[in-house]
Amino acid sequence: MPRAPIPTWCFALVVVRKGDQFLIVQENKPGQPWYLPAGRVEEGESFAAAAVRETFEEGGIPIRLTGVVRVEHTPLPTGARMRVVYLAEPADDTPPKSRPDDESLGARWVTLDELRGYHMRGDEVAELFAYVAGGGTVHPPDLIKGEGEPYRINR
């Protein structure tokens, strides 16, 4: 007998780094906390494409993905949640979004010290930024592949 599919929600999170600064975005309701660019992967979209799209929508800047910090899988009683945490750099000198819209109230560059002055969604952001700033392991962005892609040795 075939098994029922397991509902799985997929999210891309992006640590965008420019020198000693990191991009944070304020969620789209007044009084809401700050976070890093993140969002659900849309139907037919790759994790990488979602990371680029969410960063542009929420932060207003184009990015280049430079690595994968971590892949997370959380089994839940009602399904599962997957998150891919990417590392990225700005693709150009576009300033962060400063006008509120449906995606966010705005974005800004902050240092680790400045981050303490912001109401964050949780401790995860500071921990993640410190991990990256401290030289934590980052895997190549092509670690995540589509099913059926050929295996190749990169030298």
Side-chain angles (χ1 to χ4, degrees):
M1 176 191 309
R3 291 191 269 181
I6 299 168
T8 303
W9 295 269
C10 298
F11 299 89
L13 291 77
V14 189
V15 176
V16 185
R17 185 177 187 185
K18 180 175 80 169
D20 67 342
Q21 297 180 312
F22 295 89
L23 184 71
I24 58 173
V25 297
Q26 188 172 25
E27 297 183 343
N28 68 350
K29 294 180 184 121
Q32 290 298 309
W34 292 79
Y35 197 55
L36 51 104
R40 187 178 290 186
V41 177
E42 301 293 335
E43 188 174 332
E45 184 177 47
S46 69
F47 279 100
V52 170
R53 176 183 53 77
E54 287 289 348
T55 302
F56 190 75
E57 287 176 354
E58 296 178 358
I61 64 166
I63 60 165
R64 182 173 26 262
L65 298 177
T66 59
V68 172
V69 177
R70 185 155 82 177
V71 177
E72 301 172 338
H73 177 257
T74 306
L76 304 165
T78 57
R81 185 166 93 151
M82 287 190 66
R83 299 189 331 167
V84 175
V85 182
Y86 284 97
L87 180 62
E89 63 189 13
D92 58 28
D93 291 330
T94 301
K97 180 197 291 188
S98 60
R99 293 178 192 248
D101 63 19
D102 290 342
E103 299 294 334
S104 71
L105 296 179
R108 55 184 60 147
W109 292 108
V110 296
T111 64
L112 286 172
D113 287 339
E114 293 167 338
L115 187 64
R116 292 186 195 115
Y118 289 85
H119 172 59
M120 303 304 294
R121 186 194 283 182
D123 296 334
E124 173 185 41
V125 176
E127 182 182 358
L128 195 48
F129 289 177
Y131 176 82
V132 168
T137 301
V138 177
H139 306 278
D142 66 355
L143 174 71
I144 308 290
K145 299 276 191 194
E147 189 174 338
E149 287 188 39
Y151 291 87
R152 294 205 167 93
I153 297 173
N154 295 326
R155 295 182 193 234

